[in-house]
Amino acid sequence: MKSADYRNAPMEKMSWNVFIGVVLGQIVSSYTLGIVGVALDRVPSSMTLSSTWLGLLGAGSLIGLFGSLLVGRLADRYGRRKFFMADMLALTLLSVLQLFTTNLAALLVIRIALGMAIAVEYTVGTALLMEWVPAKRYFRYQTYLLAYWLAYWAIDYFAAYLVGTFTTGFGDRTWQVILASSAIVSALAGLQRLVVRQPESPRWLASKGRIIEAINLVHKITRSIRPRKSK
């Protein structure tokens, strides 16, 4: 299957659905990264955090981002859709887990795991979008992502600051509630992906020799390419 078979097909609606999902994923990612600094400032004095632990917990998610090296290979092997659909569930559950532990080692593991989930957003989400975008719209979508990427970070870090400042009433667990607030954002983004029901990338299907399935998928969405029958 040549790329022209579907990259030139009219799939603007699907492209926008994937684009919205990717944008929401980037919003979740930047908020999850930004909220930790605010939360650690609210750790009660009864918990003595050394500068080493503060650094490790603050950088835990960034450490997990190195998982992108592994995530990309796994997505190439098993498919982008599976990772894209499951990632928000993972981000939500991991965020909630921060409510249930004050053990610093366990919290560090959770933060690293969150970083690995964020790596899925930056590698798999972007790759999936670029594979669905029609050829004539490729640079437009790429420009959208790059142009607004810094804006997402600035807005989300400011939102994290506001949440950290105005979240009160939970006593010594306030800092954990602030950390876990990212579960709300990721749950909303996950709901969008469940509603849209993102299909697999035709390019990935074709790369695995599933040519007929790829062409029929494009036909189902565009109604412009005649499906072929397997022999």
Side-chain angles (χ1 to χ4, degrees):
M1 175 179 169
K2 298 179 179 179
S3 61
D5 287 336
Y6 71 94
R7 292 298 300 279
N8 293 318
M11 296 186 294
E12 195 73 12
K13 181 177 180 180
M14 178 55 67
S15 299
W16 273 109
N17 286 337
V18 181
F19 177 75
I20 292 171
V22 171
V23 167
L24 290 176
Q26 292 192 357
I27 290 173
V28 171
S29 299
S30 53
Y31 182 89
T32 302
L33 290 172
I35 198 65
V36 64
V38 182
L40 292 178
D41 284 339
R42 302 288 297 275
V43 172
S45 57
S46 58
M47 285 185 63
T48 304
L49 283 180
S50 66
S51 58
T52 300
W53 273 112
L54 280 172
L56 286 173
L57 292 175
S61 296
L62 297 177
I63 295 172
L65 286 176
F66 285 100
S68 60
L69 301 174
L70 175 63
V71 168
R73 293 184 179 182
L74 291 176
D76 287 340
R77 181 173 182 179
Y78 297 107
R80 317 216 189 283
R81 178 184 178 276
K82 295 177 182 178
F83 285 85
F84 191 70
M85 294 297 292
D87 191 47
M88 279 303 153
L89 175 60
L91 280 164
T92 302
L93 293 178
L94 288 169
S95 295
V96 170
L97 282 179
Q98 296 173 112
L99 278 174
F100 300 103
T101 182
T102 57
N103 182 281
L104 298 181
L107 186 57
L108 177 59
V109 171
I110 293 173
R111 294 303 303 179
I112 292 175
L114 280 168
M116 295 183 69
I118 291 171
V120 174
E121 291 302 312
Y122 287 124
T123 54
V124 176
T126 303
L128 186 64
L129 173 62
M130 292 301 105
E131 290 177 356
W132 267 107
V133 169
K136 62 180 180 180
R137 297 284 188 266
Y138 182 88
F139 290 106
R140 174 187 293 183
Y141 282 88
Q142 192 175 54
T143 301
Y144 285 158
L145 286 180
L146 293 175
Y148 296 121
W149 185 67
L150 290 177
Y152 302 146
W153 276 72
I155 293 172
D156 288 331
Y157 269 70
F158 181 66
Y161 171 79
L162 292 179
V163 170
T165 301
F166 293 104
T167 299
T168 58
F170 298 95
D172 289 347
R173 300 192 64 187
T174 297
W175 70 283
Q176 290 175 277
V177 173
I178 295 171
L179 271 181
S181 64
S182 57
I184 299 174
V185 187
S186 55
L188 292 174
L191 180 62
Q192 186 269 346
R193 294 184 185 183
L194 287 176
V195 171
V196 172
R197 302 294 296 174
Q198 168 65 41
E200 186 54 84
S201 159
R203 176 178 289 186
W204 181 83
L205 291 172
S207 71
K208 296 302 177 181
R210 297 158 64 177
I211 309 297
I212 305 305
E213 186 177 349
I215 294 177
N216 287 343
L217 173 60
V218 173
H219 173 75
K220 178 180 179 181
I221 293 172
T222 66
R223 300 299 179 185
S224 63
I225 299 177
R226 185 177 180 179
R228 304 175 185 175
K229 297 181 179 180
S230 301
K231 296 182 179 180

